[in-house]
């Protein structure tokens, strides 16, 4: 509510001995907004309610949040003249956006019981511009989906992944080179051992395709550093490959060892 805002500046940043911090010996430093306990009264914030964006429309009614809608990307180009700016506005469906949201039903029920529904008469919408930065709800729904029907997260997610998935673990612990993953692979039946080659099946069309997929690495196929001598009978047969990428480097190049076997 802007009518209740005091519009006062943030308090000065001072020490216990009443010494005022200054920036560049001229400008006095003030407490950041995120640390100021008087921030709500300064900006007239009386209540905060959460919601989820369901739909974004332009002035023409086009649903911009629908990924299936073909949007014109011309407005992303650099616009110089006034005519180009006006044309871009028309292509974008104007500059206004209509946002449809879904309020938190639990909070709405609490407000209804306590007689605070007047809060919803005057709301200002604050939202992130990049949807990829706001994935908290999606993460929670993913975790809930994994746990539904299982009764315990222990049954569907290995222990080494649980801390990372829940957000408090070290992301590097889930890397395939980490000691945790190596130990898990050694002790778990059905999981490739760290030093075992990976069966790529029919991923590679031929030896040329295999070698070109590991450019910048030293590739050894069936014990050979170079291509095999041309043999029409061999070249006419497609092969499957098992590939092992060694952690140790051969000189300055990564070593890739591939073994072929008959294509089904």
């Amino acid at each position: 509510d802007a009518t209740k805002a005091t519009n006062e500046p943030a308090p000065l940043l001072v020490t216990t001995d009443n010494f005022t911090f200054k920036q560049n010996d001229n400008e006095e430093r003030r407490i950041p907004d995120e640390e100021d306990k008087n921030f709500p009264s300064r900006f007239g914030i009386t209540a905060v309610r959460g919601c989820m964006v369901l739909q974004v429309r332009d002035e023409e009614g086009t649903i911009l949040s629908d990924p299936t809608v073909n949007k014109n990307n011309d407005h992303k180009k650099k616009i110089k003249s006034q005519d180009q700016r006006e044309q871009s506005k028309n292509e974008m469906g104007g500059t206004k956006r209509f946002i449809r949201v879904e309020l938190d039903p639990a909070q709405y029920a609490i407000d209804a019981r306590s007689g605070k529904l007047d809060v919803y008469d005057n709301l200002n919408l604050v939202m992130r511009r990049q949807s990829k930065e706001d994935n908290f709800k999606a993460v929670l729904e993913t975790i809930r989906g994994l746990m539904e029907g299982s009764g315990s997260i222990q049954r569907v997610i290995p222990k080494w992944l649980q801390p990372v998935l829940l957000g408090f673990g070290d992301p590097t612990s889930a890397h395939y080179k980490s000691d945790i993953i190596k130990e898990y692979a050694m002790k778990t039946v059905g999981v490739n051992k760290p030093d075992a080659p990976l069966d790529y099946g029919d991923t590679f069309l031929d030896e040329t395709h295999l070698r070109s997929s590991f450019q910048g690495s030293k590739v050894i196929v069936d014990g050979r550093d170079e291509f095999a001598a041309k043999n029409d009978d061999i070249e006419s047969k497609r092969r499957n490959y098992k590939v092992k990428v060694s952690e140790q480097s051969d000189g300055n190049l990564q070593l890739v060892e591939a073994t072929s076997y008959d294509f089904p």
Side-chain angles (χ1 to χ4, degrees):
D1 189 350
T3 61
K4 297 181 180 180
T6 61
N7 295 321
E8 296 177 354
L12 293 174
L13 190 61
V14 297
T15 61
T16 55
D17 55 355
N18 293 327
F19 175 76
T20 303
F21 284 97
K22 291 187 177 182
Q23 193 172 14
N24 299 327
D25 295 331
N26 293 318
E27 183 181 356
E28 293 177 330
R29 294 181 58 184
R30 297 185 178 275
I31 298 177
D33 288 338
E34 61 270 18
E35 299 179 9
D36 181 17
K37 63 180 181 180
N38 297 320
F39 178 85
S41 60
R42 288 169 47 213
F43 287 86
I45 299 175
T46 58
V48 177
R49 297 294 182 267
C51 65
M52 181 174 63
V53 177
L54 298 179
Q55 197 176 81
V56 181
R57 292 178 178 267
D58 61 13
E59 294 181 20
E60 298 178 354
T62 304
I63 304 176
L64 302 179
S65 56
D66 187 353
T68 62
V69 175
N70 184 18
K71 305 177 184 67
N72 194 320
N73 292 326
D74 292 342
H75 64 278
K76 295 182 180 180
K77 299 178 181 179
K78 188 175 181 180
I79 302 173
K80 297 181 180 180
S81 66
Q82 180 65 25
D83 294 338
Q84 288 178 323
R85 283 194 289 268
E86 293 298 329
Q87 181 181 1
S88 177
K89 289 180 181 179
N90 295 332
E91 292 172 350
M92 295 171 60
T95 57
K96 292 183 180 180
R97 296 293 177 264
F98 299 89
I99 301 173
R100 182 183 177 188
V101 301
E102 179 182 6
L103 296 171
D104 183 357
Q107 181 63 52
Y108 188 87
I110 295 175
D111 293 334
R113 288 194 297 268
S114 58
K116 296 181 180 180
L117 292 181
D118 56 332
V119 172
Y120 299 93
D121 295 336
N122 186 20
L123 289 176
N124 295 295
L125 181 63
V126 180
M127 59 185 293
R128 290 185 174 93
R129 297 182 61 183
Q130 301 292 336
S131 58
K132 65 181 180 180
E133 297 174 359
D134 186 14
N135 59 1
F136 183 70
K137 184 175 184 296
V139 171
L140 291 180
E141 288 182 342
T142 301
I143 297 175
R144 183 178 63 183
L146 289 171
M147 296 180 64
E148 284 181 351
S150 64
S152 172
I153 196 173
Q154 306 285 348
R155 302 181 182 179
V156 292
I157 302 177
K159 290 185 177 180
W160 59 266
L161 183 58
Q162 292 175 18
V164 178
L165 183 63
L166 296 177
F168 60 85
D170 182 8
T172 59
S173 65
H175 194 273
Y176 75 96
K177 289 184 178 181
S178 70
D179 294 335
I180 296 177
I181 298 299
K182 291 179 180 178
E183 182 181 0
Y184 174 79
M186 293 297 295
K187 296 181 178 180
T188 306
V189 178
V191 178
N192 276 18
K193 300 300 181 284
D195 57 346
L198 182 61
D199 192 348
Y200 279 78
D202 60 352
T203 301
F204 304 106
L205 300 176
D206 50 29
E207 185 175 334
T208 303
H209 183 201
L210 170 63
R211 292 182 179 274
S212 63
S213 299
F214 294 95
Q215 295 183 2
S217 302
K218 182 178 180 180
V219 182
I220 299 178
V221 181
D222 293 333
R224 294 177 283 97
D225 292 350
E226 304 295 338
F227 284 98
K230 290 186 177 181
N231 187 317
D232 295 338
D233 183 52
I234 295 178
E235 291 183 353
S236 63
K237 296 181 179 179
R238 187 171 177 179
R239 309 282 290 174
N240 284 0
Y241 293 93
K242 293 182 179 180
V243 179
K244 176 184 176 182
V245 181
S246 63
E247 297 183 10
Q248 302 296 327
S249 58
D250 183 67
N252 294 324
L253 301 178
Q254 195 173 31
L255 180 62
V256 178
E257 300 174 277
T259 304
S260 65
Y261 60 94
D262 293 336
F263 184 79

